[in-house]
Amino acid sequence: MSHRWGMAIDLDRCTGCEACVAACHAENNLPLSNPEEAAKGRAVHWIRVEHYYEGEFPDIKVKHRPVLCQHCDEAPCEPVCPVYATYQNPEGINVQVYNRCVGTFYCANNCPYTVRSFNFFPPEWPEPLQMAHNPDVAIRMGGVMEKCSFCIQRVKRAEGEGANPQPACVQGCPAEAMVFGDLNDPESKVAKLAKSGRATRLLEELGTKPKVFYLEKTS
Amino acid sequence: MERRNFFKILSATSAAVVGTACGTTSASNELIPLLVPEGQIVPGEEQWHPAVCGECAAGCGTLVRVMEGRRVIDTKDGPARERLAAVKKIEGNPMDLVSGGRLCARGQAVVQALYHPDRLRGPQKRSGDAGQFTTMSWEDAVTQASGAIGKAAATDPSSIVFLTGSLTGTRSVAIEKFLAAIKAPPPVVCALDAHPIERAAAERVFGWKGLPHYDLAKASYVLSVGADFLGGWTSPVYYARQFGEFRRGRTTMRGAFAHAESRLSLTAAAADRWLPIKPGTEPQLLQAVGALVIRKRGNANPLPAAVAEAFTKVDPAALLGMCGLKQQRVQEVVDALLEAPAPLIIGGASITHTNSVDAVVLSHWLNMLVGGVALVKETPVVLAPISSHRAGEALAKAKVLLIDGANPAYTLPGAAKALASIETIISFSPFLDDAAVWADWILPDHHYLESETVVAPAVAAGPSLTVSTSFVRPLYETRAVEQTLADLGAAMSLDYTRVTAREVAEPLATTELPYSEIARQGGVWQQALTKAKAAAPKPQPLGAALPAFDGDAGQFPLHFQAYLSIQFHDGRGANLPWMQELPDPASSAMWDLPVEIDPATAASMKIVNGDRVSIASQHGSLEASAYVHPGAVPSVLSMAIGQGHSHYTRYASGRGVNPLAILAPTFDATTGAVLTGATRVRLTRVGTGQLTQYSPKDTEHREHTER
Amino acid sequence: MATAPELLPYGQIREDLFRPLGGVSRRYVLTLVAAMSVVLLGAFAWFTQLRDGMGVTGLQRPVFWGFYIVNFVFWIGISHAGTLISAILRLTDAGWRKPITRAAEAITVFALMIGGLFPIIHLGRAWFFYWLVPYPNERLLWPNFRSPLLWDLMAIMTYVTGSVLYLYLPLIPDMAQLAEHATLWRRRVYSILSLGWTGSDREWHALERAMKLMAGMILGIAISVHTIVSWDFAMAIAPMWHSTIFGPYFVVGAIFSGLAALLIVMALIRSTMHLERYLTWHHFNNLAKLLLLMSLLWTYFTASENLTVWYGNEPDEMAVFGARTRGAFAPYFWAMVILNFCVPFVLLGVKKFRNITTSVIASVCVLAGMWLERYLITVPTLSFPRLTTATSFHYAPTWVELAITAATFAGMVMLYLIFAKLFPIIAVWEFKPHEEEE
Ligand SMILES: Nc1nc2c(c(=O)[nH]1)N[C@H]1C(S)=C(S)[C@@H](COP(=O)(O)OP(=O)(O)OC[C@H]3O[C@@H](n4cnc5c(=O)[nH]c(N)nc54)[C@H](O)[C@@H]3O)O[C@H]1N2
Ligand SMILES: Nc1nc2c(c(=O)[nH]1)N[C@H]1C(S)=C(S)[C@@H](COP(=O)(O)OP(=O)(O)OC[C@H]3O[C@@H](n4cnc5c(=O)[nH]c(N)nc54)[C@H](O)[C@@H]3O)O[C@H]1N2
Ligand code: SF4
Ligand code: SF4
Ligand code: SF4
Ligand code: SF4
Ligand code: SF4
């Protein structure tokens, strides 16, 4: 049976330190924004850490929730793309074919998690910043949609070496709050965590069947 | 470690490392040719090399992915494409017990400093007023700079001041030896993350030289006071890992903890119970907790009488009133501490006050009272850290100032004026930053990934040294400070030779683990705590002073706290575009940092999110965006440190404001540390504005899973 | 009662209707040049967007659809005026339709040409728009037929061909007549275009049957097109988009805005081409009553859409509903209600007020109101995503979007002016008494 990659994020461990956000930038050649573009809401982050506040001071409770593409099994972003630029590959990863995308934005409008970002301008890196580009990851051109790919290049490389793949954010997280693995393998840590009592899924009621399981703080 | 067969790969390249490492250090100013020869770089093949992260004193061990890279260089007949080994990514070194294979956000972004477009490419000489420079050759730079130092060393060596960063390793040893050779006073640490207060407290209570290592993962209930160990404290990645274990690492139990701080930091957010104390009342809280513990338990042992007084002769209710806490909540914490099988008290000064040393000292004694002292050990001192932190005083009497790994113009309140009047300033900064712009000569340092360094991590369970062999060729005409000091020494004919990593790592090298092996695995980390001194407290009467603040309460009614930010730390990370666009954990702001205001104060002055506000202290004023922080302590303003650089590459120059600039230039009496929370301010609304936030959180909370 | 034009002798009719074709007045040239310059400005704006990237617009995450999609729905909506009105009136053989049909069909074709451009203008990489077309190719790459955008493409392509045919067929007899009197290049063009029409009985019979068939088909296509356009929103699961009412709601909105456009155009050609005797108050009165009916229908659909959302009280939906009715978009929402319901209701409902000028005023208000309605459907929903922390900053159009929007209106004026110079705006042959052979 083929792999079905998924992720579990333990919100009891996550401290909201955003090392995962930096790791994703370092791994996937994300485009640099600048103050003007960021002010127009065009900074590109494939993973963001949401901070929710409940209650009033002084009994205020904070919840950090890292949100990335959920690689939904019933992804609303897939049927609406007119050119098959986004589809679910046999291993369950919702892939984005950059050179196939024509930029109708429909996939982003239909994604309830708002995790898709667009290249409004062709990205540039002042010399010699491009030296740090990861050769395994395509540099996107202007006018295409992009989003978290579950670090598909690391998954492929690990499969080639017969090792357990670890996306950059999972590898970088200091609190070891993120676990990645094959949901089809009942022995894998992520599969077990997915079945734990604390496991919930984001916007599950929309029927998207996301493959990122959030383990709530209290048991 | 099955993810990468880096031993196999490394063994292939280590032959090259061993072969040349023990060769004599070639006289050429090129570094020891330990570089990855271009021939060995196979397109598409990756190699992982151990290194160390130099972005803060924690000194996390890293693994650096090196692959083929190309850059355009201009040769005599026009631009040419050059093929060389390039750093592609930095991840934690799984063998290092401090990082354990993980890194914080800044650690991940270090590669952008290595390939930063605005790195200085060669020595600069000041040509006119501050900030105007011309390039020069290394030979002239060394002769001129050594001339200036030599002249001062001959006439009045005590007028030579060397301000450096908080890292302990080859750099600190090289600087100490150099200053000793010219009979100048020892170097002074000018950094916000050296934690002199925690060091002074540990020395006063236990006689330790190293920072305390708290074994968080083995505790069952923790009360941390003033130590934002998940944000910017002594070892962010190490304590984050420990926190993960503490919470969900054990199947038998889930660690619980309360955190007392005058700001909703990341640690306060992660705590089960946040005790929002008024600024500077950490000692009063600790005394109250101690008193309640003794009252509940009936005895004060094992505390000696002199010390026990501090906890018995006090009225907890009054103390908690000063802290602004409800007694019932603190009582719950005390009960939990008493019931816990493995209680632990962590004391720190993430935000420093006049009474911070008292607070941390009290926390150690409270720890003994509740029986948590078994979980606290001294970080074994393999390399003696630089002892003096009195940068303010040193700067006042400096005639020749050398700066490396520090930015006094940014981090030291009041320093900008002092720098203007110092005769000769020599900076080793790889970037033209706020301090280097005043320099007469800039002798730019390599990026630390380009040079061979050894770092002693600030906090470690056992004797540890992290080693980084240089594996990429330096990009520009820069030179490691260890080499530059050797050249300056030679020009001044001192008996001072270049300090090498091998020499510094000697203390932990053994026959079965020679230096070459240490270098190959990226360091030596001993788990055994054999060498760590047990806690042998020296009893003495305890102080618990009330905090003193600068500026009278009438004119300046609000408190102001500047805190180390996740993305910029003490401001050094501001030149990294990834960090500039990282949404700030508190306000989710990008490309600027707001001042955090509590909802009540904001409402009273009709300030809404994004408004422009002005904050004025007795020493200056700044204008920033307002962020109405739902969790801010009433009438206490907080602002993350990082923005507001006058000069610091294209990504940081002239962006935002520096909260440290309005702090009172008074320092901690015992240690000389900057007081980041001891300045009162006045807040006025300036007008409307726009704060760029990536995912603003104060909108109505419509979380689905909660319903 | 026979309309006034029937009473005029056929020769007079022909002379009146062919006169505007000859000669070019100063006002005509001035308006044409003005319209063309605005169109050129729009073209330059689009060129800048193609050259620099979508960043020149005000679009952002998560508001990815803005002025372009609003213009797309708006102009496709207006195109429904022609076909539906001329088709229905032709099928019901209402006599009073004669002077209106061609004007309406012309609006349809030009509005479609303008609206049809936007699925290309709004693309991030517009130069690859043909990837949506299912042409056979060696790499066996087919577009995704499950995507509503593909349905759009199909529906609009059919609708364009249908409308062009529906405009072209009735032109043939007139062009044949024009060919006889015209000179130089006009003669050659008209004779080619009139496909050798001789006016024989068999031809008239064939034309009648063809027009009846086309009227039936175009009616079905028009309804399907705007339903599919509404499915671009209804198929997405975004709050206040995912609703079953969108199909009929958009079709009603389309007829409503189409009627308003037709009324305005008729009033303009009536005054500029002095066709007072052909476009009488009778026509305006009927159309005004139709416009009032559509206003009430539109209000019914809008009320039921918002009532169901408000009553259902789902938090995500209410966030968008709140933004529309009370929040940042409230001024536009209430302006829309006034423009689309109150103004037509008062001006056209009260018999005393109803006249040509008031119906034109009402129509202008309706067009503005309907543009706002499409804006209020697209932007608020995207500005308030389900996860609260992914809210937007503030979408505002830039000069590029404004220039292109202005160019659409100027484009319609330009096309209409050219058309009115080449062909009679009112079908002459409709007034021809059949038994009398020329
Ligand atoms: N170093 C090296 N270079 C090589 C080769 C090699 O082995 N080594 N191989 C050579 C060979 S054999 C070949 S065939 C070439 C292949 O070279 P290319 O033809 O450039 O191959 P690709 O880049 O994979 O894709 C071609 C382009 O098709 C576009 N595309 C994707 N979908 C569509 C579509 O539906 N319609 C259209 N019109 N375009 C689409 C993509 O945007 C992409 O830019 O490379 C040659 N170059
Ligand atoms: N994933 C992926 N698959 C692709 C493509 C792609 O872009 N991506 N491109 C497709 C295209 S366009 C093409 S043309 C094909 C090309 O695919 P192939 O025909 O496989 O071309 P290569 O893989 O470049 O080289 C084929 C083999 O020939 C060997 N070889 C080299 N020189 C000689 C020689 O002198 N004599 C002999 N006998 N062998 C030699 C090489 O070592 C190599 O193993 O791949 C197709 N498949
Ligand atoms: S790196 Fe880990 S702990 Fe930090 S925000 Fe991301 S998931 Fe949470
Ligand atoms: S999270 Fe969004 S982008 Fe990712 S698969 Fe689901 S719908 Fe698609
Ligand atoms: S933006 Fe790209 S991926 Fe998304 S729907 Fe359009 S073509 Fe497909
Ligand atoms: S899985 Fe990879 S691409 Fe996705 S957020 Fe994590 S680092 Fe980024
Ligand atoms: S805590 Fe972060 S910045 Fe400091 S050494 Fe470790 S990875 Fe580097």
Side-chain angles (χ1 to χ4, degrees):
Chain A
M1 185 148 64
S2 76
H3 303 295
R4 187 162 150 271
W5 303 115
M7 189 184 277
I9 303 180
D10 192 337
L11 298 183
D12 205 5
R13 281 175 172 252
C14 171
T15 65
C17 70
E18 307 206 350
C20 47
V21 179
C24 184
H25 273 270
E27 173 72 27
N28 291 297
N29 306 338
L30 264 57
L32 292 184
S33 74
N34 56 49
E36 297 74 30
E37 287 306 299
K40 288 191 197 143
R42 292 176 181 161
V44 174
H45 296 297
W46 285 7
I47 179 171
R48 65 175 183 269
V49 179
E50 296 185 342
H51 309 277
Y52 286 114
Y53 283 72
E54 291 135 51
E56 288 301 319
F57 180 87
D59 304 322
I60 199 153
K61 280 269 173 282
V62 187
K63 160 178 263 189
H64 310 289
R65 177 191 293 277
V67 175
L68 61 164
C69 170
Q70 312 282 299
H71 294 275
C72 318
D73 281 339
E74 300 285 338
C77 62
E78 284 161 17
V80 293
C81 172
V83 285
Y84 283 121
T86 182
Y87 67 96
Q88 185 166 99
N89 81 355
E91 301 199 343
I93 295 180
N94 175 280
V95 295
Q96 181 72 22
V97 185
Y98 304 121
N99 54 16
R100 181 70 178 147
C101 167
V102 291
T104 62
F105 305 109
Y106 204 163
C107 58
N109 290 340
N110 211 18
C111 164
Y113 305 94
T114 327
V115 290
R116 287 173 163 270
S117 305
F118 189 74
N119 284 283
F120 282 96
F121 287 113
E124 310 135 6
W125 289 268
E127 175 89 14
L129 267 178
Q130 85 293 341
M131 294 268 286
H133 280 168
N134 181 350
D136 302 341
V137 177
I139 305 280
R140 276 77 61 194
M141 42 286 206
V144 296
M145 200 60 77
E146 60 179 60
K147 66 168 189 63
C148 153
S149 66
F150 261 171
C151 282
I152 194 165
Q153 70 280 358
R154 290 172 75 103
V155 171
K156 287 276 177 289
R157 208 175 255 268
E159 274 170 354
E161 292 160 1
N164 289 335
Q166 257 199 348
C169 52
V170 173
Q171 191 284 329
C173 167
E176 294 168 19
M178 306 171 94
V179 174
F180 180 82
D182 182 359
L183 291 171
N184 280 351
D185 162 15
E187 290 320 309
S188 73
K189 192 154 185 261
V190 70
K192 292 201 183 89
L193 287 176
K195 285 197 263 317
S196 105
R198 294 191 289 139
T200 61
R201 291 196 284 183
L202 196 51
L203 298 180
E204 197 174 8
E205 70 281 7
L206 294 178
T208 51
K209 295 199 179 63
K211 294 213 284 293
V212 174
F213 296 83
Y214 292 97
L215 302 167
E216 291 306 323
K217 259 189 178 177
T218 46
S219 50
Chain B
M1 246 327 295
E2 76 291 347
R3 180 164 66 82
R4 305 181 209 89
N5 41 26
F6 93 92
F7 280 104
K8 179 160 64 58
I9 294 169
L10 265 178
S11 54
T13 51
S14 61
V17 170
V18 170
T20 47
C22 56
T24 55
T25 49
S26 63
S28 83
N29 58 30
E30 277 294 313
L31 269 172
I32 303 166
L34 299 175
L35 313 175
V36 178
E38 260 60 46
Q40 279 218 338
I41 287 287
V42 174
E45 275 303 310
E46 63 175 19
Q47 298 188 9
W48 292 85
H49 289 267
V52 66
C53 173
E55 286 301 299
C56 87
C60 300
T62 59
L63 274 184
V64 178
R65 184 186 192 206
V66 177
M67 293 179 80
E68 181 206 33
R70 254 182 227 85
R71 67 165 174 162
V72 175
I73 52 167
D74 26 41
T75 57
K76 46 191 174 345
D77 38 40
R81 183 170 293 281
E82 184 194 27
R83 193 168 152 275
L84 66 167
V87 168
K88 292 295 175 186
K89 183 136 186 292
I90 297 170
E91 293 178 0
N93 183 347
M95 296 186 63
D96 169 26
L97 299 177
V98 172
S99 75
R102 313 287 169 150
L103 293 179
C104 79
R106 292 193 311 284
Q108 298 271 0
V110 160
V111 69
Q112 286 203 312
L114 174 63
Y115 296 123
H116 201 287
D118 300 334
R119 261 183 71 184
L120 294 177
R121 297 176 183 216
Q124 315 268 328
K125 178 173 181 17
R126 177 168 167 170
S127 61
D129 42 32
Q132 286 176 323
F133 290 97
T134 55
T135 56
M136 62 196 303
S137 71
W138 268 102
E139 289 64 32
D140 305 344
V142 166
T143 40
Q144 288 177 22
S146 59
I149 301 171
K151 192 156 65 64
T155 52
D156 168 15
S158 70
S159 70
I160 298 174
V161 171
F162 203 123
L163 293 183
T164 182
S166 49
L167 268 78
T168 310
T170 28
R171 183 61 51 83
S172 59
V173 169
I175 293 172
E176 278 167 335
K177 283 195 170 155
F178 178 77
L179 291 173
I182 58 172
K183 299 186 185 49
V188 180
V189 172
C190 170
L192 295 175
D193 68 340
H195 301 292
I197 287 173
E198 283 84 348
R199 288 179 189 279
E203 188 166 9
R204 184 180 294 181
V205 178
F206 303 115
W208 290 345
K209 280 273 181 261
L211 276 171
H213 162 274
Y214 292 95
D215 202 344
L216 181 61
K218 293 200 175 56
S220 65
Y221 186 84
V222 172
L223 167 63
S224 69
V225 179
D228 177 17
F229 57 86
L230 294 177
W233 199 47
T234 46
S235 194
V237 172
Y238 183 70
Y239 281 121
R241 283 176 51 230
Q242 289 253 353
F243 171 72
E245 292 304 311
F246 168 75
R247 272 293 198 226
R248 291 285 168 181
R250 302 167 284 197
T251 47
T252 51
M253 79 156 99
R254 169 183 184 267
F257 89 104
H259 178 73
E261 196 178 358
S262 50
R263 183 178 75 85
L264 188 56
S265 60
L266 284 185
T267 315
D272 299 300
R273 158 78 63 208
W274 170 40
L275 301 173
I277 54 174
K278 289 210 167 19
T281 56
E282 284 87 352
Q284 286 65 40
L285 172 67
L286 288 160
Q287 273 187 311
V289 169
L292 292 173
V293 164
I294 294 169
R295 189 175 289 179
K296 181 98 188 243
R297 211 175 55 183
N299 63 57
N301 44 44
L303 297 186
V307 170
E309 256 174 33
F311 295 107
T312 47
K313 297 229 174 332
V314 286
D315 164 14
L319 288 170
L320 293 180
M322 276 187 255
C323 301
L325 292 177
K326 293 197 181 65
Q327 173 141 8
Q328 202 267 336
R329 290 233 161 62
V330 178
Q331 189 58 53
E332 284 160 15
V333 169
V334 168
D335 299 344
L337 273 173
L338 288 172
E339 284 146 19
L344 173 65
I345 306 288
I346 301 180
S350 288
I351 295 173
T352 47
H353 289 280
T354 48
N355 59 0
S356 289
V357 175
D358 291 351
V360 183
V361 165
L362 277 166
S363 74
H364 288 312
W365 289 109
L366 181 62
N367 203 21
M368 269 174 267
L369 179 67
V370 300
V373 81
L375 297 174
V376 184
K377 289 278 182 306
E378 178 197 23
T379 301
V381 175
V382 178
L383 300 172
I386 297 174
S387 53
S388 162
H389 296 267
R390 296 184 180 286
E393 288 148 29
L395 206 56
K397 60 177 174 56
K399 287 203 178 44
V400 174
L401 174 66
L402 295 103
I403 308 171
D404 163 65
N407 186 354
Y410 183 82
T411 57
L412 200 58
K417 288 192 291 304
L419 286 178
S421 60
I422 294 175
E423 264 170 56
T424 321
I425 299 177
I426 299 168
S427 167
F428 299 95
S429 164
F431 295 100
L432 189 65
D433 59 19
D434 315 74
V437 90
W438 294 97
D440 300 290
W441 289 280
I442 305 179
L443 313 174
D445 180 19
H446 280 330
H447 182 274
Y448 45 81
L449 285 178
E450 288 170 337
S451 50
E452 183 158 2
T453 50
V454 171
V455 169
V459 172
S464 308
L465 281 178
T466 312
V467 177
S468 162
T469 54
S470 62
F471 39 82
V472 280
R473 186 150 47 84
L475 285 174
Y476 309 113
E477 284 296 311
T478 55
R479 205 179 275 186
V481 171
E482 290 87 349
Q483 180 62 43
T484 317
L485 290 179
D487 298 344
L488 289 172
M492 291 155 57
S493 54
L494 301 170
D495 80 19
Y496 172 83
T497 54
R498 178 196 165 121
V499 165
T500 64
R502 164 185 296 279
E503 165 193 344
V504 169
E506 210 37 51
L508 292 187
T510 59
T511 42
E512 53 287 331
L513 191 63
Y515 172 72
S516 57
E517 191 55 26
I518 293 176
R520 194 178 60 74
Q521 64 182 22
V524 52
W525 312 277
Q526 283 158 356
Q527 178 62 11
L529 292 183
T530 49
K531 285 192 186 155
K533 278 214 234 50
K538 293 196 286 259
Q540 77 281 78
L542 296 186
L546 281 170
F549 295 98
D550 171 273
D552 82 81
Q555 228 188 346
F556 302 98
L558 302 176
H559 288 283
F560 183 68
Q561 303 177 138
Y563 62 91
L564 292 176
S565 61
I566 284 279
Q567 60 272 47
F568 304 121
H569 199 49
D570 59 0
R572 68 185 72 175
N575 62 345
L576 308 178
W578 283 341
M579 289 302 107
Q580 284 282 351
E581 66 178 352
L582 190 77
D584 173 53
S587 60
S588 196
M590 294 185 290
W591 290 98
D592 196 7
L593 285 173
V595 58
E596 294 154 25
I597 307 172
D598 67 283
T601 311
S604 70
M605 306 175 76
K606 293 191 189 55
I607 294 173
V608 292
N609 234 4
D611 276 357
R612 297 296 295 176
V613 290
S614 145
I615 302 140
S617 74
Q618 267 189 349
H619 309 281
S621 77
L622 53 86
E623 190 195 301
S625 295
Y627 174 64
V628 181
H629 192 314
V633 173
S635 70
V636 177
L637 307 182
S638 307
M639 189 165 183
I641 297 167
Q643 301 284 23
H645 291 272
S646 64
H647 296 80
Y648 199 33
T649 77
R650 66 187 69 179
Y651 298 114
S653 300
R655 184 180 315 292
V657 282
N658 175 11
L660 302 167
I662 64 167
L663 293 185
T666 50
F667 306 97
D668 173 55
T670 327
T671 63
V674 174
L675 300 180
T676 53
T679 305
R680 301 185 74 92
V681 292
R682 184 178 54 248
L683 174 70
T684 41
R685 182 177 184 279
V686 171
T688 56
Q690 211 231 356
L691 175 64
T692 306
Q693 292 173 293
Y694 187 69
S695 56
K697 72 181 160 320
D698 50 357
T699 48
E700 180 231 326
H701 162 56
R702 286 192 267 125
E703 260 237 284
H704 276 259
T705 47
E706 247 59 25
R707 255 212 310 267
Chain C
M1 84 55 184
T3 52
E6 302 297 346
L7 306 177
L8 292 171
Y10 182 66
Q12 171 71 37
I13 297 171
R14 201 170 54 187
E15 200 267 334
D16 284 350
L17 297 183
F18 284 155
R19 191 179 343 97
L21 273 61
V24 170
S25 76
R26 217 170 62 78
R27 206 151 50 107
Y28 175 89
V29 169
L30 272 178
T31 13
L32 187 62
V33 163
M36 278 189 171
S37 53
V38 175
V39 167
L40 281 178
L41 176 70
F44 171 70
W46 188 14
F47 166 73
T48 340
Q49 178 180 302
L50 289 172
R51 187 191 58 199
D52 301 344
M54 287 302 277
V56 297
T57 67
L59 298 173
Q60 54 181 278
R61 170 191 167 276
V63 184
F64 285 111
W65 279 353
F67 264 47
Y68 293 151
I69 293 298
V70 174
N71 289 336
F72 165 61
V73 181
F74 178 76
W75 283 104
I76 300 291
I78 287 186
S79 73
H80 281 54
T83 39
L84 280 175
I85 288 145
S86 59
I88 297 169
L89 299 183
R90 198 181 291 282
L91 284 173
T92 56
D93 209 6
W96 62 279
R97 63 161 170 60
K98 285 189 175 123
I100 305 173
T101 49
R102 178 163 299 155
E105 285 141 23
I107 296 176
T108 301
V109 171
F110 299 148
L112 265 179
M113 282 162 63
I114 294 168
L117 263 181
F118 277 97
I120 298 168
I121 294 175
H122 101 286
L123 287 181
R125 298 200 299 169
W127 49 91
F128 286 139
F129 71 93
Y130 58 87
W131 289 359
L132 275 85
V133 174
Y135 61 89
N137 57 72
E138 166 263 340
R139 297 170 66 159
L140 298 179
L141 294 168
W142 295 103
N144 172 11
F145 288 100
R146 294 175 301 164
S147 164
L149 297 182
L150 246 298
W151 312 341
D152 273 348
L153 185 79
M154 300 298 145
I156 291 175
M157 285 302 177
T158 356
Y159 191 34
V160 167
T161 29
S163 320
V164 168
L165 268 178
Y166 195 64
L167 175 68
Y168 178 68
L169 286 178
L171 268 173
I172 294 172
D174 283 354
M175 282 192 288
Q177 280 198 2
L178 278 170
E180 286 152 22
H181 306 291
T183 56
L184 303 172
W185 58 274
R186 274 180 182 256
R187 170 185 285 282
R188 219 174 327 98
V189 163
Y190 288 139
S191 54
I192 298 166
L193 285 178
S194 60
L195 308 175
W197 173 273
T198 55
S200 69
D201 265 357
R202 203 170 57 74
E203 285 168 353
W204 279 113
H205 194 57
L207 182 66
E208 284 300 329
R209 238 182 27 268
M211 288 310 291
K212 277 270 187 302
L213 176 70
M214 280 304 297
M217 264 181 19
I218 209 80
L219 196 59
I221 298 172
I223 297 206
S224 76
V225 161
H226 224 69
T227 311
I228 287 172
V229 163
S230 80
W231 284 345
D232 286 352
F233 302 101
M235 290 304 165
I237 51 170
M240 280 200 91
W241 275 8
H242 195 52
S243 109
T244 52
I245 201 170
F246 266 42
Y249 185 25
F250 272 53
V251 172
V252 162
I255 302 169
F256 188 32
S257 57
L259 257 175
L262 179 59
L263 257 167
I264 295 169
V265 165
M266 273 169 51
L268 283 175
I269 57 174
R270 179 170 181 277
S271 65
T272 53
M273 295 184 191
H274 312 300
L275 301 169
E276 289 77 5
R277 278 177 303 176
Y278 296 88
L279 296 170
T280 63
W281 163 242
H282 178 62
H283 300 103
F284 280 93
N285 194 20
N286 285 353
L287 285 179
K289 278 188 279 181
L290 252 178
L291 190 69
L292 178 62
L293 171 70
M294 295 317 292
S295 162
L296 297 178
L297 250 176
W298 176 85
T299 312
Y300 162 74
F301 274 105
T302 309
S304 74
E305 184 212 0
N306 286 294
L307 183 67
T308 43
V309 164
W310 173 76
Y311 192 88
N313 201 20
E314 263 207 77
D316 295 340
E317 305 265 333
M318 283 307 280
V320 179
F321 179 84
R324 281 191 192 177
T325 48
R326 292 187 304 277
F329 298 91
Y332 306 117
F333 182 83
W334 297 109
M336 169 185 79
V337 170
I338 293 164
L339 292 169
N340 281 352
F341 171 63
C342 306
V343 168
F345 189 76
V346 168
L347 290 185
L348 307 179
V350 178
K351 204 162 180 354
K352 202 150 46 41
F353 295 149
R354 190 165 58 227
N355 57 48
I356 293 184
T357 32
T358 54
S359 42
V360 168
I361 295 165
S363 303
V364 169
C365 292
V366 163
L367 277 192
M370 286 312 291
W371 195 93
L372 277 179
E373 187 232 20
R374 276 50 178 261
Y375 177 82
L376 285 164
I377 286 177
T378 313
V379 178
T381 292
L382 294 175
S383 305
F384 290 85
R386 291 179 189 275
L387 295 180
T388 56
T389 60
T391 47
S392 80
F393 297 81
H394 167 63
Y395 164 68
T398 57
W399 71 272
V400 170
E401 290 165 290
L402 294 172
I404 291 179
T405 308
T408 56
F409 294 95
M412 175 57 104
V413 167
M414 182 183 77
L415 289 170
Y416 225 89
L417 286 174
I418 295 166
F419 182 82
K421 229 5 130 190
L422 293 175
F423 308 102
I425 198 62
I426 295 179
V428 177
W429 63 274
E430 298 255 11
F431 298 97
K432 194 168 179 314
H434 285 294
E435 60 288 356
E436 184 217 328
E437 270 311 320
E438 201 39 58

